Amino acid sequence: MSRPRYGWKVYAKDMIRAYQVGQANENEFEAVKSAIYETEKMPEGRSRIKVVELVLMKKTHTLAGAASTIPCGKRTAERWQSDFISKVGKNFRCDSLI
């Protein structure tokens, strides 16, 4: 059975990509910036950010490729990316949709 897709997650990913190229509006920029700050404080925070940078911001790696670069497991990289996307959504006040 497949997992349901949520529109806010797609929007949060778009905010992360826009943040990298400087095209995010002020609220989007702050949501991503806050998520980065919160994530950096977490255990292995720098590695978590690196996964997001490689996969969503720079678009140079797949999740499996980013996981091998860190190194960590693919499922761990998926979880870290999902956690980051959720933080961006919550910081942008999408939490009513979560």
Side-chain angles (χ1 to χ4, degrees):
M1 180 176 204
S2 65
R3 294 177 7 181
R5 297 193 83 132
Y6 298 103
W8 68 266
K9 283 192 174 189
V10 174
Y11 185 57
K13 284 182 181 181
D14 289 342
M15 284 190 279
I16 295 165
R17 291 182 184 115
Y19 175 87
Q20 177 64 22
V21 295
Q23 295 179 342
N25 69 40
E26 185 177 338
N27 293 337
E28 294 170 347
F29 183 85
E30 287 302 319
V32 176
K33 185 177 174 182
S34 295
I36 291 170
Y37 179 74
E38 292 168 17
T39 302
E40 285 178 338
K41 293 177 166 183
M42 298 174 71
E44 301 176 340
R46 196 61 221 141
S47 295
R48 291 170 178 255
I49 296 298
K50 189 70 174 171
V51 167
V52 173
E53 286 176 352
L54 294 174
V55 176
L56 294 177
M57 293 180 178
K58 295 179 181 176
K59 299 183 194 178
T60 57
H61 292 69
T62 62
L63 271 170
S68 66
T69 300
I70 299 302
C72 67
K74 183 180 179 227
R75 293 288 297 148
T76 299
E78 289 172 354
R79 184 172 34 86
W80 287 352
Q81 178 177 284
S82 180
D83 291 347
F84 186 82
I85 292 167
S86 293
K87 283 183 189 316
V88 171
K90 287 178 182 175
N91 291 338
F92 192 69
R93 304 291 181 244
C94 292
D95 50 349
S96 62
L97 302 175
I98 296 175

